[in-house]
Amino acid sequence: MQKNNLNQDNTGDSFTWVGIFRAENALQANIIKGLLESAGIQCELQGEMLQGALGEIPFEQTGVEVRVYAIKERQAREILVNYQQVKQSAPDWVCPTCSELNGSTFEICWSCGTVKNDESE
């Protein structure tokens, strides 16, 4: 007589966490997390707390991994591709207040806090 295992996962691997992006730091990981969550994709960050241990442990072990359920992996990867294309094509901009050069992903000047506008590019 065969017993049914009540702990057996009948859903397959659809609801296991899959790493889709390895961020250099917690800020970048949270930007990706926000993009995914705004598209309705649940995600988690793994290794975010290790950022505080930088120097105590090797740099390559302090990256933050963005993870999604396997069932949402394809949709999440499409969002990442779009994000990376926009990030690469957007120009850096010069702050109209302090003339500081800011990276394309900054919406606020890192030096003085001025919000980016259309004339800043």
Side-chain angles (χ1 to χ4, degrees), residues 38-64:
S38 69
I41 300 173
Q42 185 178 354
C43 58
E44 71 174 12
L45 301 180
Q46 184 176 30
E48 185 175 23
M49 297 302 167
L50 292 175
Q51 293 284 296
L54 188 59
E56 299 293 323
I57 60 176
F59 173 75
E60 60 273 356
Q61 293 179 9
T62 61
V64 182

Side-chain angles (χ1 to χ4, degrees), residues 15-105:
F15 292 98
T16 57
W17 291 106
V18 176
I20 60 159
F21 187 79
R22 185 137 182 104
E24 296 173 12
N25 55 56
L27 178 62
Q28 184 183 34
N30 278 288
I31 289 170
I32 300 297
K33 181 181 180 186
L35 285 171
L36 295 172
E37 287 178 342
S38 69
I41 300 173
Q42 185 178 354
C43 58
E44 71 174 12
L45 301 180
Q46 184 176 30
E48 185 175 23
M49 297 302 167
L50 292 175
Q51 293 284 296
L54 188 59
E56 299 293 323
I57 60 176
F59 173 75
E60 60 273 356
Q61 293 179 9
T62 61
V64 182
E65 185 177 40
V66 180
R67 298 167 32 140
V68 299
Y69 284 124
I71 196 168
K72 293 290 188 173
E73 181 180 6
R74 182 176 174 196
Q75 183 182 359
R77 289 196 185 276
E78 288 175 10
I79 291 169
L80 280 175
V81 167
N82 291 337
Y83 166 75
Q84 291 171 332
Q85 287 174 344
V86 168
K87 184 179 170 186
Q88 289 175 354
S89 66
D92 291 345
W93 59 280
V94 176
C95 176
T97 304
C98 71
S99 300
E100 187 66 43
L101 181 64
N102 292 277
S104 61
T105 57

